[in-house]
């Protein structure tokens, strides 16, 4: 969505949701990651499939947003009907991955590095580099392919799948420094300590460093 099939600007969809919330007498503050955060920050200019909500914020406290509270989800669906968007155009699926370690398992303190935008009854916090870089690196490593030898050792890592390329391009657009990459890699390694994942992560980091020159 937010592409040629659904040519609705992301800002317009968020404003519409904020207006819907205000009509319902509600106010929601949330933090988004992924493509939506990169697009709204002006770091990339590409379509995105949805708006990834990583956290709700209530009185300076992070709240796990998964699953979305029914009243908020109803507002999201009403906005989707108005604009002709998929019903889950805004969702908290990404937050589910860290629900068992919430919020200590997140790569950074979200509230220390966030840029806020106001859309009526909706406050949208755009996650900062300390969160975006690790999450993008994790997604890239997760969507890369590997070729194994007879001993089940990784002999080749393939970064060509379209999802992997999208995350790689987003990382390159973020232009992480070497310290940022090291911190991100340490967090990603904690998420999956398997040898296969480690091999993918090393290949991804080597590729990024080569592209950066």
């Amino acid at each position: 969505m937010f592409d040629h099939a659904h040519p609705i600007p992301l800002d317009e969809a968020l404003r519409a949701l904020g207006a819907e919330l205000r009509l319902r007498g509600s106010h929601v503050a949330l933090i988004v990651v992924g493509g939506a955060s990169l697009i709204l920050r002006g770091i990339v200019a590409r379509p995105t499939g949805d708006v990834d909500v990583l956290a709700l914020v209530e009185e300076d406290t992070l709240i796990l947003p998964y699953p979305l509270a029914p009243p908020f989800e109803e507002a999201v669906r009403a906005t989707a009907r108005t604009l002709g968007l998929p019903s889950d155009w805004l969702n908290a699926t990404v937050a589910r991955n860290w629900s068992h370690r919430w919020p200590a398992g997140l790569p950074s303190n979200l509230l220390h590095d966030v840029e806020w935008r106001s859309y009526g009854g909706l406050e949208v916090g755009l996650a900062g580099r300390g969160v975006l870089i690790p999450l993008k690196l994790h997604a890239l490593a997760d969507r890369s392919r590997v070729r194994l030898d007879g001993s089940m050792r990784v002999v080749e890592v393939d970064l060509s799948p379209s999802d992997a390329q999208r995350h790689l391009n987003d990382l390159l657009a973020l232009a992480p420094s070497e310290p940022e990459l090291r911190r991100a890699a340490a967090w990603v390694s904690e998420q999956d300590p398997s040898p296969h994942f480690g091999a993918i992560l090393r290949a991804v980091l080597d590729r990024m460093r080569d592209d950066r020159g």
Side-chain angles (χ1 to χ4, degrees):
M1 56 165 286
F2 303 112
D3 54 18
H4 298 302
H6 300 91
I8 305 296
L10 185 54
D11 268 335
E12 181 179 333
L14 294 172
R15 280 195 297 271
L17 176 56
E20 182 69 28
L21 288 168
R22 179 167 284 176
L23 283 174
R24 294 165 181 253
S26 298
H27 184 274
V28 174
L30 51 81
I31 296 177
V32 302
V33 292
S37 185
L38 292 170
I39 292 165
L40 291 170
R41 281 180 172 271
I43 295 172
V44 301
R46 63 163 177 80
T48 185
D50 55 9
V51 177
D52 294 316
V53 179
L54 186 59
L56 298 177
V57 180
E58 298 180 5
E59 298 181 353
D60 294 327
T61 299
L62 296 176
I63 306 296
L64 178 68
Y66 186 88
L68 294 179
F72 182 43
E73 187 170 27
E74 289 171 8
V76 172
R77 290 178 180 272
T79 303
R81 291 192 295 270
T82 299
L83 299 180
L85 295 171
S87 60
D88 62 347
W89 67 273
L90 181 147
N91 62 79
T93 303
V94 67
R96 179 180 58 185
N97 297 332
W98 287 276
S99 60
H100 61 296
R101 298 177 58 198
W102 186 268
L106 298 176
S108 176
N109 188 325
L110 296 179
L111 294 176
H112 286 178
D113 184 15
V114 63
E115 178 184 327
W116 288 98
R117 305 278 178 90
S118 181
Y119 299 93
L122 179 68
E123 298 293 327
V124 176
L126 309 179
R129 297 174 64 84
V131 172
L132 291 175
I133 293 171
L135 289 183
K136 277 294 172 182
L137 183 59
H138 183 276
L140 172 54
D142 190 50
R143 287 160 178 77
S144 300
R145 297 174 183 161
V146 297
R147 184 167 63 86
L148 307 176
D149 63 13
S151 300
M152 300 302 291
R153 291 175 299 189
V154 177
V155 296
E156 183 181 2
V157 175
D158 180 9
L159 302 180
S160 67
S162 58
D163 278 353
Q165 283 292 304
R166 173 166 51 86
H167 294 302
L168 175 60
N169 290 335
D170 286 348
L171 269 174
L172 293 173
L174 282 163
S177 66
E178 194 66 24
E180 285 177 321
L181 274 179
R182 286 198 299 268
R183 287 192 295 270
W187 179 80
V188 172
S189 296
E190 292 176 358
Q191 312 312 304
D192 187 341
S194 70
H196 292 180
F197 198 83
I200 294 173
L201 180 58
R202 287 190 296 274
V204 167
L205 292 173
D206 288 344
R207 170 67 180 276
M208 289 195 62
R209 287 162 179 152
D210 289 345
D211 285 352
R212 285 172 25 184

Coordinates of all heavy atoms in Angstrom, one line a residue, residues 75-145:
A75 N -10.9 2.5 14.9 CA -10.6 3.7 14.3 C -9.7 3.5 13.1 O -9.8 4.1 12.0 CB -9.9 4.7 15.3
V76 N -8.7 2.6 13.2 CA -7.8 2.3 12.1 C -8.6 1.7 10.9 O -8.5 2.0 9.7 CB -6.7 1.3 12.5 CG1 -5.9 0.7 11.3 CG2 -5.8 1.9 13.5
R77 N -9.6 0.8 11.2 CA -10.4 0.2 10.2 C -11.3 1.2 9.5 O -11.6 1.1 8.3 CB -11.2 -1.0 10.8 CG -10.3 -2.2 11.2 CD -11.1 -3.3 11.8 NE -10.2 -4.5 12.1 CZ -9.9 -5.5 11.3 NH1 -10.4 -5.5 10.1 NH2 -9.1 -6.4 11.7
A78 N -11.9 2.1 10.3 CA -12.8 3.1 9.8 C -12.0 4.0 8.8 O -12.5 4.4 7.8 CB -13.4 3.9 10.9
T79 N -10.8 4.3 9.2 CA -9.9 5.1 8.3 C -9.6 4.4 7.0 O -9.6 4.9 5.9 CB -8.6 5.5 9.0 OG1 -8.9 6.2 10.2 CG2 -7.8 6.4 8.1
A80 N -9.4 3.1 7.1 CA -9.1 2.2 6.0 C -10.3 2.3 5.0 O -10.2 2.4 3.8 CB -8.8 0.8 6.4
R81 N -11.5 2.2 5.6 CA -12.7 2.2 4.7 C -12.9 3.5 4.0 O -13.2 3.6 2.8 CB -14.0 1.9 5.5 CG -14.0 0.4 6.0 CD -15.4 0.1 6.6 NE -15.7 0.9 7.8 CZ -15.4 0.5 9.0 NH1 -14.8 -0.6 9.3 NH2 -15.8 1.3 10.1
T82 N -12.6 4.6 4.7 CA -12.7 5.9 4.1 C -11.7 6.1 3.0 O -12.1 6.7 1.9 CB -12.5 7.0 5.2 OG1 -13.5 6.9 6.2 CG2 -12.6 8.4 4.6
L83 N -10.5 5.7 3.1 CA -9.5 5.9 2.2 C -9.2 4.8 1.2 O -8.4 4.9 0.3 CB -8.1 6.2 2.9 CG -8.1 7.4 3.8 CD1 -6.7 7.6 4.5 CD2 -8.5 8.7 3.1
G84 N -10.0 3.7 1.4 CA -9.8 2.5 0.5 C -8.5 1.8 0.7 O -7.8 1.3 -0.3
L85 N -8.0 1.7 1.9 CA -6.8 1.0 2.3 C -7.1 -0.3 2.9 O -8.2 -0.6 3.3 CB -6.0 1.9 3.3 CG -5.5 3.2 2.8 CD1 -5.0 4.0 4.0 CD2 -4.5 3.1 1.8
P86 N -6.1 -1.2 2.9 CA -6.3 -2.5 3.6 C -6.6 -2.3 5.1 O -6.2 -1.3 5.7 CB -4.9 -3.2 3.5 CG -4.3 -2.6 2.3 CD -4.8 -1.2 2.3
S87 N -7.4 -3.2 5.7 CA -7.9 -2.9 7.1 C -6.7 -2.9 8.1 O -6.8 -2.3 9.1 CB -8.9 -4.0 7.5 OG -8.3 -5.3 7.4
D88 N -5.6 -3.5 7.7 CA -4.4 -3.6 8.6 C -3.3 -2.7 8.2 O -2.1 -2.9 8.4 CB -3.9 -5.0 8.8 CG -3.4 -5.6 7.5 OD1 -3.7 -5.0 6.4 OD2 -2.8 -6.6 7.5
W89 N -3.7 -1.5 7.5 CA -2.6 -0.6 7.0 C -1.7 -0.1 8.2 O -0.6 0.2 7.9 CB -3.3 0.5 6.3 CG -4.1 1.5 7.2 CD1 -5.4 1.4 7.5 CD2 -3.6 2.7 7.8 NE1 -5.8 2.4 8.3 CE2 -4.7 3.2 8.5 CE3 -2.4 3.4 7.8 CZ2 -4.6 4.4 9.2 CZ3 -2.3 4.6 8.5 CH2 -3.4 5.1 9.2
L90 N -2.3 -0.1 9.4 CA -1.5 0.3 10.5 C -1.6 -0.9 11.5 O -2.7 -1.3 11.8 CB -1.9 1.6 11.2 CG -1.2 2.1 12.4 CD1 -1.1 3.6 12.4 CD2 -1.8 1.6 13.7
N91 N -0.5 -1.5 11.9 CA -0.6 -2.7 12.8 C 0.6 -2.7 13.7 O 1.6 -2.0 13.5 CB -0.7 -3.9 11.9 CG 0.6 -4.1 11.1 OD1 1.6 -4.6 11.6 ND2 0.5 -3.8 9.8
A92 N 0.5 -3.6 14.7 CA 1.6 -3.8 15.7 C 2.2 -5.2 15.6 O 2.8 -5.6 16.6 CB 1.0 -3.5 17.1
T93 N 2.2 -5.8 14.4 CA 2.8 -7.1 14.3 C 4.3 -7.1 14.6 O 4.8 -8.0 15.3 CB 2.6 -7.6 12.8 OG1 1.2 -7.6 12.5 CG2 3.2 -9.0 12.7
V94 N 5.0 -6.0 14.3 CA 6.4 -6.0 14.6 C 6.7 -6.0 16.1 O 7.7 -6.6 16.5 CB 7.1 -4.7 13.9 CG1 6.6 -3.5 14.6 CG2 8.6 -4.8 14.0
A95 N 5.8 -5.5 16.9 CA 6.0 -5.4 18.3 C 5.9 -6.8 18.9 O 6.4 -7.1 20.0 CB 5.0 -4.5 19.0
R96 N 5.1 -7.7 18.3 CA 4.9 -9.0 18.8 C 6.2 -9.8 18.9 O 6.3 -10.7 19.8 CB 3.9 -9.8 17.8 CG 3.6 -11.2 18.2 CD 2.7 -11.9 17.2 NE 3.2 -11.8 15.9 CZ 2.5 -12.2 14.8 NH1 1.3 -12.7 15.0 NH2 3.1 -12.2 13.6
N97 N 7.1 -9.5 18.0 CA 8.4 -10.2 18.0 C 9.2 -10.0 19.3 O 10.0 -10.9 19.7 CB 9.3 -9.8 16.9 CG 8.7 -10.1 15.5 OD1 7.9 -11.1 15.4 ND2 9.0 -9.3 14.5
W98 N 8.9 -8.9 20.0 CA 9.6 -8.6 21.3 C 8.7 -8.6 22.5 O 9.1 -8.2 23.6 CB 10.4 -7.3 21.2 CG 11.6 -7.5 20.3 CD1 12.8 -7.9 20.6 CD2 11.6 -7.2 18.8 NE1 13.6 -8.0 19.5 CE2 12.9 -7.6 18.4 CE3 10.7 -6.8 17.9 CZ2 13.3 -7.5 17.0 CZ3 11.0 -6.7 16.6 CH2 12.3 -7.0 16.2
S99 N 7.5 -9.2 22.3 CA 6.6 -9.2 23.4 C 7.1 -10.0 24.7 O 6.7 -9.6 25.8 CB 5.2 -9.7 23.0 OG 5.4 -11.1 22.5
H100 N 7.9 -11.0 24.4 CA 8.4 -11.8 25.5 C 9.6 -11.1 26.3 O 10.0 -11.6 27.3 CB 8.9 -13.1 25.0 CG 10.0 -13.1 24.0 ND1 9.9 -12.5 22.8 CD2 11.3 -13.5 24.1 CE1 11.1 -12.5 22.2 NE2 11.9 -13.2 22.9
R101 N 10.1 -10.0 25.7 CA 11.2 -9.3 26.4 C 10.9 -7.8 26.5 O 11.8 -6.9 26.3 CB 12.5 -9.5 25.6 CG 13.0 -10.9 25.5 CD 14.2 -11.1 24.7 NE 15.3 -10.2 25.2 CZ 16.4 -9.9 24.5 NH1 16.5 -10.2 23.2 NH2 17.3 -9.1 25.1
W102 N 9.6 -7.5 26.7 CA 9.2 -6.1 26.6 C 9.4 -5.3 27.9 O 9.1 -5.9 29.0 CB 7.7 -6.0 26.3 CG 7.2 -4.6 26.0 CD1 6.7 -3.8 27.0 CD2 7.3 -3.9 24.8 NE1 6.4 -2.6 26.4 CE2 6.7 -2.6 25.1 CE3 7.7 -4.2 23.5 CZ2 6.6 -1.6 24.1 CZ3 7.6 -3.2 22.6 CH2 7.1 -1.9 22.9
P103 N 10.0 -4.1 27.9 CA 10.6 -3.5 26.7 C 12.1 -3.6 26.8 O 12.8 -3.0 25.9 CB 10.2 -2.0 26.9 CG 10.2 -1.8 28.4 CD 9.8 -3.1 29.0
A104 N 12.6 -4.4 27.7 CA 14.1 -4.5 27.9 C 14.8 -5.1 26.7 O 15.9 -4.8 26.4 CB 14.4 -5.4 29.1
G105 N 14.1 -5.9 25.9 CA 14.7 -6.5 24.7 C 14.8 -5.6 23.5 O 15.4 -6.0 22.5
L106 N 14.2 -4.4 23.6 CA 14.3 -3.5 22.4 C 15.8 -3.0 22.3 O 16.5 -2.9 23.3 CB 13.4 -2.3 22.6 CG 11.9 -2.7 22.7 CD1 11.0 -1.5 23.0 CD2 11.4 -3.4 21.4
P107 N 16.2 -2.6 21.1 CA 17.6 -2.3 20.9 C 18.0 -1.0 21.5 O 19.2 -0.7 21.6 CB 17.7 -2.2 19.3 CG 16.3 -2.0 18.9 CD 15.4 -2.7 19.8
S108 N 17.1 -0.1 21.9 CA 17.4 1.2 22.5 C 16.2 1.7 23.2 O 15.1 1.2 23.1 CB 17.8 2.2 21.4 OG 18.1 3.4 21.9
N109 N 16.5 2.7 24.1 CA 15.4 3.4 24.8 C 14.7 4.2 23.8 O 15.2 5.3 23.4 CB 15.9 4.2 26.0 CG 14.8 4.7 26.8 OD1 13.7 5.1 26.3 ND2 15.0 4.8 28.1
L110 N 13.5 3.8 23.4 CA 12.8 4.5 22.3 C 12.5 6.0 22.6 O 12.6 6.9 21.8 CB 11.4 3.9 22.1 CG 11.4 2.4 21.5 CD1 10.0 1.9 21.4 CD2 12.2 2.4 20.2
L111 N 12.2 6.3 23.9 CA 11.8 7.7 24.3 C 13.0 8.6 24.2 O 12.8 9.8 24.3 CB 11.2 7.6 25.6 CG 9.8 6.9 25.7 CD1 9.3 6.9 27.1 CD2 8.8 7.6 24.8
H112 N 14.3 8.1 24.2 CA 15.4 9.0 24.2 C 15.8 9.5 22.8 O 16.6 10.4 22.7 CB 16.6 8.2 24.8 CG 16.5 8.1 26.3 ND1 17.5 7.4 27.1 CD2 15.6 8.5 27.2 CE1 17.1 7.5 28.3 NE2 16.0 8.1 28.4
D113 N 15.2 8.9 21.8 CA 15.6 9.3 20.4 C 14.3 9.1 19.5 O 14.2 8.1 18.8 CB 16.7 8.4 19.9 CG 17.2 8.8 18.5 OD1 16.9 9.9 18.1 OD2 17.9 8.0 17.9
V114 N 13.5 10.1 19.6 CA 12.2 10.0 18.8 C 11.8 11.4 18.4 O 12.0 12.4 19.1 CB 11.1 9.3 19.7 CG1 10.8 10.2 20.9 CG2 9.9 9.1 18.8
E115 N 11.3 11.5 17.1 CA 10.8 12.7 16.6 C 9.3 12.7 16.5 O 8.8 11.8 15.8 CB 11.4 13.0 15.2 CG 11.0 14.2 14.5 CD 11.5 14.3 13.1 OE1 12.7 13.9 12.9 OE2 10.8 14.9 12.2
W116 N 8.7 13.6 17.2 CA 7.2 13.6 17.2 C 6.5 14.4 16.2 O 7.0 15.5 15.9 CB 6.7 14.0 18.6 CG 7.0 13.0 19.7 CD1 8.1 13.0 20.6 CD2 6.3 11.8 20.0 NE1 8.0 12.0 21.4 CE2 6.9 11.2 21.1 CE3 5.1 11.3 19.5 CZ2 6.5 10.0 21.6 CZ3 4.7 10.1 20.0 CH2 5.3 9.5 21.1
R117 N 5.4 13.8 15.6 CA 4.6 14.5 14.7 C 3.2 14.5 15.2 O 2.7 13.5 15.7 CB 4.6 13.9 13.3 CG 6.0 13.7 12.7 CD 6.5 15.0 12.0 NE 7.9 14.8 11.5 CZ 8.2 14.4 10.3 NH1 7.2 14.1 9.5 NH2 9.4 14.3 9.9
S118 N 2.4 15.6 15.0 CA 1.0 15.7 15.5 C 0.0 15.6 14.4 O 0.2 16.3 13.4 CB 0.8 17.0 16.3 OG -0.5 17.0 16.8
Y119 N -0.9 14.7 14.5 CA -2.0 14.5 13.5 C -3.4 14.5 14.2 O -4.1 13.6 14.2 CB -1.8 13.2 12.8 CG -0.5 13.1 12.0 CD1 0.6 12.5 12.6 CD2 -0.4 13.6 10.7 CE1 1.8 12.4 11.9 CE2 0.8 13.5 10.0 CZ 1.9 12.9 10.6 OH 3.1 12.8 9.9
G120 N -3.7 15.7 14.8 CA -5.0 15.7 15.5 C -5.0 14.9 16.8 O -4.2 15.1 17.7
G121 N -5.9 13.9 16.8 CA -5.9 13.0 17.9 C -4.9 11.9 17.9 O -4.9 11.0 18.8
L122 N -3.9 12.0 17.0 CA -2.8 11.0 16.9 C -1.5 11.7 17.0 O -1.2 12.6 16.3 CB -3.0 10.3 15.6 CG -1.9 9.2 15.3 CD1 -2.1 8.0 16.2 CD2 -2.0 8.8 13.8
E123 N -0.7 11.2 17.9 CA 0.7 11.7 18.0 C 1.6 10.5 17.6 O 1.6 9.4 18.1 CB 1.1 12.0 19.5 CG 0.3 13.2 20.1 CD 0.6 14.5 19.4 OE1 1.7 14.7 19.0 OE2 -0.4 15.3 19.3
V124 N 2.4 10.8 16.6 CA 3.3 9.8 16.0 C 4.7 10.1 16.3 O 5.2 11.1 15.9 CB 3.1 9.7 14.4 CG1 4.0 8.7 13.8 CG2 1.6 9.3 14.1
G125 N 5.4 9.2 17.0 CA 6.8 9.3 17.2 C 7.6 8.5 16.2 O 7.3 7.3 16.0
L126 N 8.5 9.1 15.5 CA 9.4 8.4 14.6 C 10.6 7.9 15.3 O 11.4 8.7 15.8 CB 9.7 9.4 13.4 CG 8.5 10.1 12.8 CD1 9.0 11.0 11.7 CD2 7.5 9.1 12.2
A127 N 10.8 6.6 15.3 CA 12.0 6.0 16.0 C 13.3 6.6 15.4 O 13.4 6.8 14.2 CB 11.9 4.5 15.9
G128 N 14.3 6.7 16.3 CA 15.6 7.2 15.8 C 16.5 6.1 15.4 O 16.2 5.0 15.3
R129 N 17.7 6.5 15.1 CA 18.7 5.7 14.5 C 19.1 4.5 15.4 O 19.4 3.4 15.0 CB 20.0 6.5 14.2 CG 19.8 7.6 13.2 CD 21.1 8.4 13.1 NE 22.2 7.6 12.6 CZ 22.4 7.4 11.3 NH1 21.6 7.8 10.3 NH2 23.4 6.6 10.9
G130 N 19.1 4.7 16.8 CA 19.4 3.7 17.7 C 18.5 2.5 17.7 O 18.8 1.4 18.1
V131 N 17.3 2.7 17.1 CA 16.3 1.6 16.9 C 16.2 1.2 15.5 O 16.2 0.0 15.2 CB 14.9 2.1 17.4 CG1 13.9 1.1 17.1 CG2 15.0 2.3 18.9
L132 N 16.2 2.2 14.6 CA 16.0 1.8 13.1 C 17.1 1.0 12.6 O 16.9 0.0 11.9 CB 15.9 3.1 12.3 CG 14.6 4.0 12.5 CD1 14.7 5.3 11.7 CD2 13.4 3.2 12.1
I133 N 18.4 1.3 12.9 CA 19.5 0.6 12.4 C 19.5 -0.9 12.8 O 19.6 -1.8 12.0 CB 20.8 1.3 12.7 CG1 20.9 2.6 11.9 CG2 22.0 0.4 12.3 CD1 22.1 3.5 12.3
P134 N 19.4 -1.2 14.1 CA 19.3 -2.6 14.6 C 18.2 -3.3 14.0 O 18.3 -4.5 13.5 CB 19.2 -2.5 16.1 CG 19.8 -1.2 16.4 CD 19.4 -0.3 15.3
L135 N 17.0 -2.7 13.9 CA 15.8 -3.4 13.4 C 16.0 -3.7 11.9 O 15.6 -4.8 11.4 CB 14.6 -2.6 13.7 CG 14.1 -2.6 15.1 CD1 12.8 -1.8 15.2 CD2 13.9 -3.9 15.7
K136 N 16.5 -2.8 11.2 CA 16.8 -3.0 9.7 C 17.8 -4.1 9.5 O 17.7 -4.9 8.6 CB 17.2 -1.7 9.1 CG 16.0 -0.8 8.7 CD 15.1 -1.5 7.6 CE 13.8 -0.7 7.4 NZ 13.0 -1.4 6.4
L137 N 18.9 -4.0 10.3 CA 19.9 -5.1 10.2 C 19.3 -6.4 10.5 O 19.6 -7.4 9.8 CB 21.1 -4.7 11.1 CG 22.3 -5.7 11.0 CD1 22.9 -5.7 9.6 CD2 23.4 -5.3 12.1
H138 N 18.5 -6.5 11.5 CA 17.9 -7.8 11.9 C 17.0 -8.3 10.7 O 17.0 -9.5 10.3 CB 17.1 -7.6 13.1 CG 16.4 -8.9 13.6 ND1 15.2 -9.3 13.1 CD2 16.8 -9.8 14.5 CE1 14.9 -10.5 13.7 NE2 15.8 -10.8 14.5
A139 N 16.2 -7.4 10.2 CA 15.3 -7.8 9.1 C 16.1 -8.2 7.8 O 15.7 -9.2 7.2 CB 14.4 -6.6 8.7
L140 N 17.2 -7.5 7.5 CA 18.0 -7.9 6.4 C 18.6 -9.3 6.6 O 18.6 -10.1 5.7 CB 19.1 -6.9 6.2 CG 20.2 -7.2 5.2 CD1 19.6 -7.5 3.8 CD2 21.2 -6.0 5.1
A141 N 19.2 -9.5 7.8 CA 19.8 -10.9 8.0 C 18.7 -11.9 8.0 O 18.9 -13.1 7.5 CB 20.5 -10.8 9.4
D142 N 17.5 -11.6 8.5 CA 16.4 -12.6 8.6 C 15.9 -13.0 7.2 O 15.4 -14.1 7.0 CB 15.3 -12.0 9.4 CG 14.2 -13.0 9.8 OD1 14.6 -14.1 10.2 OD2 13.0 -12.8 9.5
R143 N 16.0 -12.1 6.2 CA 15.4 -12.3 4.9 C 16.4 -12.7 3.8 O 16.1 -12.9 2.7 CB 14.6 -11.1 4.4 CG 13.3 -10.9 5.2 CD 12.8 -9.5 5.2 NE 11.5 -9.4 5.9 CZ 11.3 -9.4 7.2 NH1 12.4 -9.5 8.0 NH2 10.1 -9.3 7.7
S144 N 17.7 -12.8 4.3 CA 18.7 -13.3 3.3 C 18.7 -14.8 3.3 O 18.1 -15.5 4.1 CB 20.1 -12.8 3.8 OG 20.2 -11.4 3.9
R145 N 19.2 -15.4 2.2 CA 19.2 -16.8 2.0 C 20.7 -17.3 2.2 O 21.6 -16.6 2.0 CB 18.7 -17.2 0.6 CG 17.3 -16.8 0.3 CD 17.0 -17.0 -1.1 NE 15.6 -16.6 -1.5 CZ 15.2 -16.4 -2.7 NH1 16.1 -16.5 -3.7 NH2 14.0 -16.0 -3.0

